[in-house]
Amino acid sequence: MRFNTKVIHGNQHHDPSTGAVMPPIYQTSTYAQKSPGDHKGFEYSRTGNPTRQALENAFSSIENGTYGLAFGSGLAAIDAVIKLLKPGDEVIATNDLYGGTYRLFTQIFKRFGIVFHFTGLNVIENIEHLINSNTKLIWVETPTNPMLNIIDIEAVVQIAKKNQIRVAVDNTFATPYLQQPLNLGADIVMHSATKYLGGHSDVVMGALVVNDKALADQLYFIQNASGAVCGPMDSFLVLRGLKTLHVRMQRHCENGAIIARFLAKHPKVDKVFWPGFESHPNHSIAKKQMRDFGGMVSFSTRGNTKGDAIKIVENLKLFTLAESLGGVESLCGHPATMTHASIPKEEREKTGVTDSLIRLSVGIEDPNDLLEDLEQALKK
Ligand SMILES: *Cc1c(COP(=O)(O)O)cnc(C)c1O
């Protein structure tokens, strides 16, 4: 089955009791048993729920994996991955990580004795330098948020495999439409399904997909034991959203390219960060590893002041000023004060997240309306 068919039919079945084409929302916490332990595969909805299971099956299919798990948020999914580790274990992670991931690593798990190193993963020597016998996981995010750097997943996997280290990839920005990390040798794919997978800015959810049975069993154990699961209604909404992932992503990419090229030519704009430009430092990796360049575009204005950036995001009308990304509607954000506010200023600026940076999540509206909106906001 090809990708565009998988997003609609992958691992899905009509409801056996009624023929319902979409899985019913099984809004139940528990399931009747005939005799203790004699049930139809479900006991309690933290452990398993048929609507969630349908979604988990869909997740595994679109990432070309074997086992899918759904969580109450993207961070809950990351939390489950780090709970595979024990005190003393070390993690090497991308240095321009999603702010919430950085906060979870440094303000929660560090206290439990897990050691995190943050570095540029595109320089293999950076990774080699940090590897020791305690290194258990490399955490990759690509494209990165909000700088849109691209990390060569295959290159990271190669050094990780040599040292028996697992690789997890946060695939939120790319989605499986653009890249499938398990195919490139990664062990775990993670998503904030809140973003492109759900696609309609109406659910908060996380996902993991793996191939290895033993790893899947450990993660299912953590999912049930820690309990950060999502409800049946949210599972249904994401399953519905998923079915248009391929058409939405195609349009996000087209509109993203139009906006990035417009900004690059605009006299008020200083730098534009978008992996589709040949001048982008990781353009060749992006071309090798991704089908297209996505709908996320970041830019800074000439003069580079925080005041200018704030004024622009206030003046944009079609681009709603809001946290999050990946929905059908265009959003804009000011990472330094919004998504990345929990990262110390020096750390932030080292990776390019300056006070003048604006991040756009380009939606699937008519691109001419988006261009007009940007033009009027930049003019003011
Ligand atoms: C939003 C996001 C997360 C966190 O996901 P939530 O669903 O908000 O918990 C993690 N990684 C990336 C890249 C994100 O954009």
Side-chain angles (χ1 to χ4, degrees), residues 71-78 97-101 103 139 141-145 170-174 190-195 203-207 296 324-325 339-340 359:
F71 292 85
S73 70
L75 281 170
I78 302 172
L97 214 51
Y98 172 72
T101 309
R103 180 177 56 196
W139 187 271
E141 189 182 312
T142 180
T144 64
N145 174 19
D170 182 337
N171 206 25
T172 300
F173 269 40
M190 173 264 152
H191 278 278
S192 169
T194 313
K195 317 294 169 53
V203 186
V204 173
M205 187 182 288
M296 298 300 297
S324 202
L325 61 110
T339 45
H340 289 62
R359 187 188 80 178

Side-chain angles (χ1 to χ4, degrees), residues 8-310:
I8 297 165
H9 298 291
N11 293 341
Q12 297 302 299
H13 316 279
H14 303 320
D15 179 53
S17 58
T18 63
V21 168
M22 280 299 281
I25 300 164
Y26 283 93
Q27 196 72 53
T28 186
S29 60
T30 190
Y31 307 82
Q33 308 193 9
K34 250 197 187 133
S35 165
D38 181 3
H39 53 72
K40 299 182 173 171
F42 297 93
E43 294 164 89
Y44 186 62
S45 280
R46 171 162 32 72
T47 319
N49 172 283
T51 319
R52 191 177 95 214
Q53 192 177 70
L55 176 67
E56 291 178 327
N57 290 340
F59 283 154
S60 70
S61 172
I62 60 171
E63 280 290 3
N64 212 19
T66 314
Y67 305 96
L69 299 96
F71 292 85
S73 70
L75 281 170
I78 302 172
D79 177 275
V81 173
I82 303 303
K83 283 176 177 160
L84 293 164
L85 307 177
K86 59 179 190 322
D89 285 350
E90 299 192 12
V91 179
I92 301 171
T94 318
N95 56 359
D96 54 343
L97 214 51
Y98 172 72
T101 309
Y102 181 84
R103 180 177 56 196
L104 177 67
F105 288 178
T106 56
Q107 293 192 48
I108 306 278
F109 281 113
K110 197 175 152 201
R111 283 196 278 119
F112 291 85
I114 296 167
V115 178
F116 295 90
H117 304 279
F118 301 94
T119 191
L121 296 186
N122 265 334
V123 181
I124 293 301
E125 296 83 70
N126 287 350
I127 305 176
E128 273 171 336
H129 229 68
L130 289 168
I131 289 178
N132 63 49
S133 57
N134 294 325
T135 311
K136 296 290 153 61
L137 180 69
I138 300 181
W139 187 271
V140 180
E141 189 182 312
T142 180
T144 64
N145 174 19
M147 297 312 296
L148 286 317
N149 292 316
I150 307 294
I151 292 160
D152 188 335
I153 298 172
E154 271 181 319
V156 172
V157 163
Q158 202 176 18
I159 174 134
K161 286 237 163 102
K162 242 194 277 168
N163 293 277
Q164 279 115 40
I165 299 166
R166 275 190 183 133
V167 175
V169 177
D170 182 337
N171 206 25
T172 300
F173 269 40
T175 82
Y177 175 83
L178 296 178
Q179 79 192 4
Q180 297 179 334
L182 296 180
N183 289 356
L184 303 174
D187 300 282
I188 302 171
V189 178
M190 173 264 152
H191 278 278
S192 169
T194 313
K195 317 294 169 53
Y196 287 107
L197 297 192
H200 294 75
S201 307
D202 51 8
V203 186
V204 173
M205 187 182 288
L208 297 177
V209 181
V210 303
N211 272 323
D212 181 70
K213 168 90 168 65
L215 176 57
D217 285 345
Q218 275 181 293
L219 288 168
Y220 282 126
F221 178 82
I222 293 166
Q223 182 193 38
N224 182 47
S226 284
V229 295
C230 52
M233 179 71 196
D234 286 355
S235 300
F236 176 86
L237 285 171
V238 172
L239 196 52
R240 164 203 251 252
L242 264 189
K243 290 177 191 280
T244 54
L245 178 67
H246 54 312
V247 283
R248 286 186 285 109
M249 284 311 291
Q250 185 179 357
R251 188 62 65 86
H252 281 297
C253 292
E254 288 167 12
N255 284 1
I258 292 169
I259 301 278
R261 297 200 172 106
F262 164 83
L263 289 171
K265 280 191 292 198
H266 199 284
K268 294 242 174 104
V269 172
D270 183 24
K271 294 199 184 97
V272 182
F273 303 92
W274 179 66
F277 289 130
E278 272 178 31
S279 58
H280 184 286
N282 318 126
H283 178 69
S284 61
I285 306 169
K287 259 179 78 171
K288 175 183 80 162
Q289 153 174 312
M290 298 166 73
R291 185 207 298 231
D292 204 336
F293 304 109
M296 298 300 297
V297 180
S298 296
F299 69 100
S300 58
T301 49
R302 285 199 196 283
N304 274 320
T305 70
K306 182 173 176 177
D308 282 351
I310 303 268

